[in-house]
């Protein structure tokens, strides 16, 4: 039997399948950390990964849950450490993944006395967590731990266990068959929920009636790739993926037109504007302006989060269930269509779009490397089983536009929260989860300066644990918070304010070299391909410092009147970067227009380096 409450909690974590914890120490969680350390010395512990900041620990736990399907676990001390976890826990909440955070607290006798680092942690975490509870006695510990894990898994959300310092060291006690004592189970609740037969029949009737079916697939369909593809084959549907669902449907599927929206594709937008039936599978896609007009189509939604059913589009049938299990039950009810013209037309249009993306990647800018070229050359060389992470900002645009994740590859980012700096902890967590696979982190210089640079220290510390040491960090070095710079223009009609937007320049490759890693500098477009070749040949850590233009426009698939007018107004207000923004935008738009004209004439694409 466990000696202390901390020992008991650790044993219970093991029963829940926990094999790795991301944590940062402090006196408020000291006895628990001590118990972890004692087990580690005995060789019977849980792997403890200590990054450079608690926020990173929470992001790593979230990424671990995303990449493995397991519950991610992070640990921190009382007030300051606990507070630092919050951003990463919101990432878990908003992207529907299970995480359990264990946080320290001052001793029970000190609560309510305004002592150092005492705060009302249950109130602090009340919004972000689906379950928050403080363990106040040894006999209560079992029920709190079990409920936290079971609820996190069932609700697809973070849960928080508050563990006061004195309780951590109390003698463990087996829950008794007594009043007020709960004896709980460490068995998870099954989430393979299947809707009622009549609901499935109603959904099949809607789908069968359509002649232009589109599937909008999100991360909630992960694990159901074959069922999604079978539904598309039976219905002649096109497939659009939400950004976090990018790797759910392999890029080699010809009628998968990738993403939708500002960082999406024109074929995806056309699907939404022309379909007569929309099937949403495991997605809470938030941008309603890109979805079909009200009344344009009939719609069905499948989701394991019932509160997210029917909130984005007036769906006719809402199926509360696991996507894979629901499609297993639905597929036999759906008729096989013989006319696949809609699907074939989608595939043909997407081929033209890919030529357009290639043409935009080959544009040369006078003021720096084309960031699209960096991503295009990566995509041309992505090794099998690669894992790619992207950050919020323009890196998400280039990732969506140019990276094609083939079967077996993985990719992810901070989705609905869209937090900066997540790409780096995501990449490092991916290496811990899959130490035999190559991992590529793509990140902007602003995000890299936040906490990403710190994590190269974490990588140096743990590099020896990875059989495949290949980790590549590509920093988009433009000395600018470029996504916000463009948003100031396109959304608010304001010129760029350099006081808020400039990022202090530094030698990122040199910083990597100081830590003993390989640094590669890319200052010209034609150096991008060789940089990736070198990095992918190196069994170690490589940082690619890409000196990209700050003015490359993250063009949406279709430029709206508002986008155009706001940009023109901003430039007319003496935008300090207006010359570069105009020149680079003209180059990009020119390449886009030329290739679009060629697509219309079926002339194909230019070879790299050839432009008219």
């Amino acid at each position: 039997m466990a000696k202390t409450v901390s020992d008991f909690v650790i044993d219970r974590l093991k029963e829940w399948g926990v094999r790795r914890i991301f944590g940062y120490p402090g006196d408020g969680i000291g006895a628990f950390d001590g118990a972890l350390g004692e087990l580690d010395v005995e060789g019977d512990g849980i792997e403890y990964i200590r990054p450079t900041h608690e926020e990173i620990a929470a992001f790593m736990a979230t990424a671990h849950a995303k990449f493995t399907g397991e519950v991610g676990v992070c640990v921190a001390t009382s007030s300051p450490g606990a507070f630092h976890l919050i951003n990463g826990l919101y990432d878990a909440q908003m992207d529907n993944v299970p995480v359990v955070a264990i946080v320290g607290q001052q001793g029970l006798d000190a609560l309510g006395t305004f002592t150092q680092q005492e705060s009302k942690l249950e109130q602090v975490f009340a919004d972000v967590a689906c379950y928050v509870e403080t363990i106040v006695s040894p006999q209560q510990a079992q029920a709190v731990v079990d409920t936290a894990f079971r609820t996190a898994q069932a609700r697809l959300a973070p849960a928080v266990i508050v563990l006061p310092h004195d309780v951590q060291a109390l003698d463990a006690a087996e829950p008794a068959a007594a009043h007020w004592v709960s004896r709980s189970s460490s068995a998870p609740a099954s989430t393979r929920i299947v809707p009622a037969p009549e609901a499935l029949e109603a959904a099949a009737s809607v789908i069968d009636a359509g002649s232009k079916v589109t599937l909008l697939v999100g991360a909630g369909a992960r694990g159901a790739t074959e069922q999604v593809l079978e539904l598309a084959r039976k219905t002649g549907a096109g497939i659009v993926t939400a950004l976090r669902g990018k790797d759910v449907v392999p890029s080699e599927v010809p009628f998968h037109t990738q993403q939708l929206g500002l960082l999406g594709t024109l074929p995806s937008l056309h699907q939404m504007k022309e379909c007569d039936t929309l099937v949403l599978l495991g997605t809470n896609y938030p941008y309603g302006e890109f979805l079909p007009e009200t009344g344009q189509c009939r719609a069905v939604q499948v989701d394991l989060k019932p509160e997210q059913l029917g909130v984005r589009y007036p769906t006719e049938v809402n199926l509360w269930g696991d996507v894979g299990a629901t499609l297993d039950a639905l597929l036999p009810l759906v008729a096989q269509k013989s006319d696949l013209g809609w699907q074939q037309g989608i595939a043909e249009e997407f081929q033209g779009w890919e030529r357009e993306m290639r043409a935009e990647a080959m544009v040369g800018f006078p003021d720096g490397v084309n960031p699209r070229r960096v991503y295009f050359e990566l995509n041309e060389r992505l090794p099998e089983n690669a894992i790619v992470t992207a950050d919020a900002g323009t890196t998400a645009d280039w990732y969506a536009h140019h990276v094609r994740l083939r079967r077996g590859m993985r990719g992810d980012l901070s989705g609905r929260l869209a937090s900066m700096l997540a790409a780096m902890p995501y990449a490092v967590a991916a290496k811990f989860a899959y130490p035999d696979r190559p991992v590529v982190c793509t990140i902007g210089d602003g995000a890299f300066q936040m906490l990403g640079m710190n994590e190269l220290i974490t990588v140096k510390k743990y590099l020896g644990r990875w059989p495949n040491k290949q980790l590549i960090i590509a920093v988009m070095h433009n000395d600018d918070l470029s996504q916000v710079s463009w948003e100031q223009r396109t959304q608010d009609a304001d010129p760029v304010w350099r006081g808020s937007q400039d990022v202090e320049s530094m030698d990122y490759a040199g910083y990597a070299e100081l830590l003993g890693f390989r640094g590669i500098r890319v200052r010209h477009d034609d150096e991008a391909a060789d940089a990736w070749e070198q990095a992918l040949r190196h069994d170690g850590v490589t940082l690619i410092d890409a000196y990209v233009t700050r003015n490359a426009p993250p063009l949406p698939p279709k430029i709206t009147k508002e986008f155009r007018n706001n940009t023109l107004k901003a430039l007319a207000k003496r935008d300090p970067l207006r010359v570069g923004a105009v020149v680079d935008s003209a180059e990009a738009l020119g390449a886009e227009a030329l290739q679009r004209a060629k697509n219309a004439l079926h002339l194909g694409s230019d070879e790299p380096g050839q432009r008219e």
Side-chain angles (χ1 to χ4, degrees):
M1 180 178 169
K3 294 178 292 184
T4 67
V5 170
S6 292
D7 294 326
F8 171 80
V9 171
I10 294 166
D11 287 344
R12 207 62 171 180
L13 296 183
K14 292 180 184 178
E15 287 190 42
W16 279 97
V18 176
R19 53 196 175 92
R20 182 174 299 117
I21 286 174
F22 303 95
Y24 203 93
D27 62 341
I29 196 71
F32 181 79
D33 284 345
L36 282 172
E38 185 176 337
L39 286 174
D40 186 56
V41 170
E42 296 172 357
D44 191 32
I46 297 172
E47 185 179 23
Y48 180 85
I49 306 301
R50 201 218 74 192
T52 60
H53 196 281
E54 292 95 347
E55 184 174 356
I56 295 292
F59 273 115
M60 292 175 85
T62 297
H64 178 88
K66 288 181 175 182
F67 284 125
T68 66
E70 301 169 357
V71 178
V73 178
C74 54
V75 178
T77 189
S78 50
S79 299
F83 300 157
H84 285 158
L85 295 176
I86 288 176
N87 196 39
L89 295 181
Y90 268 109
D91 192 40
Q93 183 213 63
M94 297 179 77
D95 281 350
N96 305 320
V97 293
V99 169
V100 171
I102 300 173
V103 298
Q105 175 63 290
Q106 301 311 299
L108 293 177
D109 291 342
L111 298 185
T113 67
F114 313 105
T115 193
Q116 185 183 36
Q117 292 192 348
E118 178 218 346
S119 56
K120 298 184 183 303
L121 291 177
E122 290 192 9
Q123 293 182 27
V124 168
F125 289 106
D127 181 63
V128 71
C130 61
Y131 175 82
V132 189
E133 193 57 66
T134 300
I135 296 176
V136 297
S137 74
Q139 293 208 52
Q140 181 207 15
Q142 183 185 85
V144 171
V145 173
D146 290 343
T147 306
F149 274 85
R150 189 159 37 247
T151 306
Q153 286 184 327
R155 301 286 186 187
L156 299 175
V160 177
I161 299 170
V162 181
L163 193 52
H165 193 196
D166 52 351
V167 176
Q168 296 167 32
L170 293 177
D171 290 340
E174 189 71 24
H179 192 55
W180 291 336
V181 176
S182 292
R183 290 166 289 162
S184 61
S185 162
S186 60
S190 172
T191 56
R192 283 189 61 80
I193 298 170
V194 180
E198 57 269 24
L200 293 167
E201 290 169 3
S205 176
V206 171
I207 294 169
D208 285 347
S211 59
K212 297 179 179 179
V213 180
T214 286
L215 312 182
L216 179 53
V217 181
R222 183 160 288 114
T225 298
E226 296 310 316
Q227 294 97 318
V228 171
L229 294 178
E230 180 60 21
L231 181 63
R233 284 189 284 265
K234 290 193 77 170
T235 61
I239 299 177
V240 176
T241 47
L243 188 56
R244 287 205 56 241
K246 188 179 183 71
D247 61 355
V248 174
V249 178
S251 64
E252 54 264 40
V253 173
F255 44 85
H256 170 202
T257 59
Q258 297 290 315
Q259 282 70 69
L260 177 68
L262 291 173
L263 41 64
T265 72
L266 195 59
S268 292
L269 181 62
H270 286 163
Q271 281 200 67
M272 289 296 152
K273 298 307 179 185
E274 297 170 13
C275 68
D276 62 17
T277 308
L278 178 63
V279 183
L280 299 101
L281 299 171
T283 180
N284 187 29
Y285 180 80
Y287 303 110
E289 67 270 31
F290 298 104
L291 294 175
E293 296 293 330
T294 302
Q296 171 193 317
C297 67
R298 304 175 74 184
V300 172
Q301 186 172 0
V302 183
D303 207 289
L304 198 53
K305 301 275 285 189
E307 67 273 23
Q308 294 180 7
L309 288 166
V311 298
R312 298 300 181 202
Y313 190 80
T315 45
E316 189 171 333
V317 181
N318 290 313
L319 300 176
W320 178 18
D322 169 74
V323 173
T326 299
L327 290 184
D328 283 339
L330 179 64
L331 280 165
L333 307 177
V334 175
Q336 175 67 57
K337 285 187 170 59
S338 57
D339 183 359
L340 302 180
W342 164 251
Q343 189 180 79
Q344 291 165 355
I346 288 167
E348 290 172 6
E349 184 186 7
F350 189 67
Q351 290 176 11
W353 174 263
E354 291 292 74
R355 291 193 290 269
E356 194 173 309
M357 288 296 95
R358 180 187 181 93
E360 289 195 30
M362 295 304 160
V363 171
F365 296 123
D367 49 0
V369 174
N370 184 347
R372 292 179 178 274
R373 181 69 175 269
V374 179
Y375 281 75
F376 176 85
E377 299 294 357
L378 164 64
N379 186 64
E380 292 287 288
R381 294 162 179 79
L382 267 181
E384 297 300 319
N385 294 319
I387 301 173
V388 183
T389 68
D391 214 83
T394 52
T395 61
D397 293 88
W398 318 137
Y399 166 77
H401 285 168
H402 295 283
V403 172
R404 302 291 176 253
L405 299 172
R406 303 187 301 277
R407 188 178 289 273
M409 296 179 178
R410 292 295 307 274
D412 222 323
L413 74 173
S414 174
R416 194 155 61 95
L417 182 63
S419 176
M420 289 176 67
L421 76 81
M424 192 66 184
Y426 271 40
V428 179
K431 282 300 293 187
F432 282 113
Y434 302 103
D436 293 319
R437 296 175 67 168
V439 175
V440 178
C441 168
T442 66
I443 190 167
D445 51 2
F448 194 59
Q449 285 192 12
M450 279 184 164
L451 289 171
M453 293 175 64
N454 301 33
E455 285 316 287
L456 282 183
I457 301 171
T458 303
V459 170
K460 183 176 178 63
K461 178 180 179 180
Y462 293 105
L463 185 61
R465 298 192 184 187
W466 304 331
N468 176 339
K469 295 175 173 52
Q470 194 169 76
L471 172 63
I472 305 169
I473 303 100
V475 179
M476 299 300 106
H477 184 167
N478 60 8
D479 304 331
D480 184 52
L481 301 175
S482 50
Q483 182 76 12
V484 177
S485 292
W486 279 100
E487 287 171 344
Q488 286 179 345
R489 296 176 179 124
T490 62
Q491 294 182 8
D492 302 312
D494 286 330
V496 167
W497 178 32
R498 298 193 66 166
S500 71
Q501 298 309 106
D502 284 0
V503 174
E504 184 66 22
S505 189
M506 66 166 288
D507 182 1
Y508 300 107
Y511 174 69
E513 290 165 348
L514 283 174
L515 292 170
F517 303 140
R518 175 170 293 185
I520 301 175
R521 297 161 183 82
V522 175
R523 299 181 185 275
H524 304 285
D525 290 320
D526 56 8
E527 295 173 349
D530 183 61
W532 286 114
E533 295 279 358
Q534 289 185 54
L536 290 166
R537 285 195 302 265
H538 178 51
D539 183 26
V541 179
T542 304
L543 188 143
I544 297 176
D545 191 352
Y547 288 76
V548 299
T549 173
R550 70 193 299 169
N551 295 311
L555 295 172
K558 184 177 181 180
I559 296 176
T560 64
K561 184 177 180 181
E562 179 185 25
F563 184 101
R564 180 195 65 204
N565 290 347
N566 283 347
T567 303
L568 292 174
K569 289 177 184 177
L571 296 175
K573 294 178 181 176
R574 302 190 66 79
D575 188 303
L577 303 172
R578 62 189 179 279
V579 174
V582 169
V583 170
D584 288 6
S585 296
E587 291 280 356
L589 288 168
E592 177 185 276
L594 177 60
Q595 187 57 55
R596 202 163 287 183
K598 288 185 175 185
N599 288 342
L601 296 172
H602 304 287
L603 292 180
S605 63
D606 292 334
E607 292 302 314
Q610 295 180 340
R611 296 178 53 229
E612 296 179 14

